[in-house]
Amino acid sequence: MSVTHEPKLISGNANMPLAKAVARRMSMHRGVNVGLVDARVERFNDGEIFVEVFENVRGEDMFIIQPTSNPANDNLMELLIMADALRRSSAKRITAVIPYFGYARQDRRTKARTPISAKLVANMIVEAGIERVLTMDLHAAQIQGFFDIPVDNLYASPVFALDVMTQFRDHLDDVMIVSPDVGGVARARELAKRINAPLSIVDKRREKAGEVAEMTVIGEVTDKICVIVDDMCDTAGTMCKAAQHLMDNGAREVHAYTTHGVMSGPAVERITGSVLKSMVITDTIQPTEAVKNTPNIRIIPTAPVFAQAILNIWNGTSVSSLFETPTLEPIYEGQFGT
């Protein structure tokens, strides 16, 4: 039986536009058509998921593109069932490309009798026959250790750095990178180092989950262009309160860069009515029409970096090279306008 010598992509329903964009980028790189494997991922009337692959995948290097975003359980089950279908069809290797890894916030026991759901999900992914995971900006870096298979965790900060240096090129000396909490300092520091900017922290204290009781700004933000950096924006409550608090402390203007635009519930309404001059998200989660139509939200594509990472994995070359600006600049050439 002959096999092709190109990586093969397959996608669930979680973010089909991203999967098609990755396929297009890979086609440009390879000079041959890299399309999505013809398959159907459907539901029976009772909600059960059914997968059928219409192409031969025996001996192929398969990449499943499927973020486990809302609805998290449905999209996770699609991923697992697609992996099982490919494994039973004798695929040579199965890599899960999970741009947004759901359940990542449950990475430790915060109190008695609570689960570590991220570890459970990792176990399920491995048991389904997936041999490698490619993701972006895990909520907690230690989640890589939950897997007994290789995990490549890409970072959005190198891409954000290119955008910041383009958008604020005439005012870079006034830019202040801000972490919205103490736990995100490492992520914010990484971006600050890349653009040679100072770092500030908004220390928040919660009375209960989802509600912030008190905020304190650590660092001098007076007359600064503050750029809040976070890995995800869910209901946007904390983000908008942090932006307002920075303005109250003398910031000239506030912008936000967040990798995963979860955008649940009142998020769009809050961002629209907030003091945020702009908010930049990526398309790791498929944006809704409301998000796309919000004037102060801008979306940066991740297809260029995921396409290159997939090719590097397939070729057996370095994925960490994508963390370097000289590698990323040609990949994103022409993407960042003024």
Side-chain angles (χ1 to χ4, degrees):
M1 178 73 68
S2 63
V3 296
T4 66
H5 297 285
E6 298 293 329
K8 281 199 169 184
L9 308 179
I10 188 170
S11 176
N13 296 312
N15 196 341
M16 188 61 75
L18 175 58
K20 290 179 178 177
V22 170
R24 285 195 300 271
R25 292 289 304 198
M26 291 177 63
S27 297
M28 290 169 54
H29 286 304
R30 298 294 300 157
V32 295
N33 181 47
V34 179
L36 298 176
V37 166
D38 189 17
R40 62 175 175 141
V41 183
E42 299 177 348
R43 281 163 179 71
F44 292 120
N45 291 334
D46 64 352
E48 286 186 7
I49 294 165
F50 174 73
V51 173
E52 184 176 8
V53 182
F54 297 118
E55 296 181 26
N56 176 36
V57 297
R58 183 179 296 274
E60 301 288 3
D61 201 353
M62 300 297 305
F63 293 83
I64 308 172
I65 302 175
Q66 178 80 346
T68 51
S69 49
N70 185 33
N73 298 332
D74 286 359
N75 288 331
L76 175 60
M77 282 305 298
E78 281 190 12
L79 172 64
L80 299 176
I81 293 171
M82 282 190 290
D84 187 71
L86 295 173
R87 180 170 58 89
R88 295 177 188 276
S89 302
S90 302
K92 180 182 179 181
R93 181 176 68 169
I94 303 169
T95 299
V97 181
I98 312 175
Y100 169 73
F101 185 82
Y103 285 102
R105 284 174 281 187
Q106 300 180 48
D107 64 310
R108 64 194 183 282
R109 295 186 68 189
T110 55
K111 58 182 73 173
R113 296 176 295 281
T114 57
I116 305 178
S117 304
K119 172 59 177 169
L120 173 63
V121 171
N123 290 345
M124 293 165 67
I125 287 172
V126 173
E127 287 299 316
I130 290 166
E131 297 169 63
R132 192 180 197 102
V133 170
L134 173 64
T135 187
M136 176 172 277
D137 272 348
L138 285 170
H139 185 65
Q142 65 265 24
I143 292 174
Q144 294 177 81
F146 293 178
F147 290 86
D148 294 324
I149 55 176
V151 176
D152 292 302
N153 184 30
L154 300 176
Y155 298 102
S157 60
V159 182
F160 286 164
L162 291 175
D163 189 74
V164 169
M165 287 187 288
T166 301
Q167 297 296 320
F168 305 104
R169 61 174 175 266
D170 296 328
H171 306 283
L172 276 177
D173 291 341
D174 298 326
V175 171
M176 168 79 80
I177 302 299
V178 180
S179 173
D181 52 44
V182 175
V185 169
R187 184 180 299 107
R189 186 188 295 120
E190 174 65 22
L191 179 56
K193 285 170 58 180
R194 286 180 178 275
I195 65 171
N196 195 28
L199 178 66
S200 180
I201 305 167
V202 177
D203 181 33
K204 63 185 179 186
R205 299 181 185 182
R206 295 183 186 273
E207 291 291 336
K208 55 184 179 180
E211 292 187 14
V212 177
E214 183 183 349
M215 283 187 168
T216 306
V217 176
I218 303 172
E220 182 54 62
V221 299
T222 303
D223 203 34
K224 291 289 187 180
I225 299 172
C226 291
V227 176
I228 303 173
V229 182
D230 209 351
D231 67 315
M232 68 174 69
C233 180
D234 192 348
T235 60
T238 301
M239 181 72 73
C240 293
K241 285 182 181 178
Q244 183 63 60
H245 203 65
L246 289 166
M247 291 296 289
D248 293 343
N249 277 263
R252 188 192 313 173
E253 56 189 51
V254 183
H255 303 261
Y257 281 74
T258 184
T259 309
H260 308 298
V262 180
M263 301 298 181
S264 304
V268 170
E269 183 181 347
R270 283 175 173 170
I271 292 167
T272 303
S274 73
V275 297
L276 281 169
K277 193 165 184 181
S278 73
M279 180 170 190
V280 176
I281 61 174
T282 74
D283 58 354
T284 54
I285 298 172
Q286 184 175 343
T288 63
E289 288 302 313
V291 170
K292 288 189 282 189
N293 293 330
T294 303
N296 58 341
I297 294 180
R298 191 159 50 86
I299 302 168
I300 288 180
T302 55
V305 69
F306 274 112
Q308 190 62 55
I310 289 170
L311 287 171
N312 288 8
I313 291 170
W314 172 68
N315 281 320
T317 55
S318 171
V319 173
S320 61
S321 64
L322 297 175
F323 304 159
E324 304 302 324
T325 300
T327 309
L328 274 179
E329 277 182 329
I331 296 174
Y332 273 91
E333 188 174 6
Q335 292 285 344
F336 303 115
T338 56

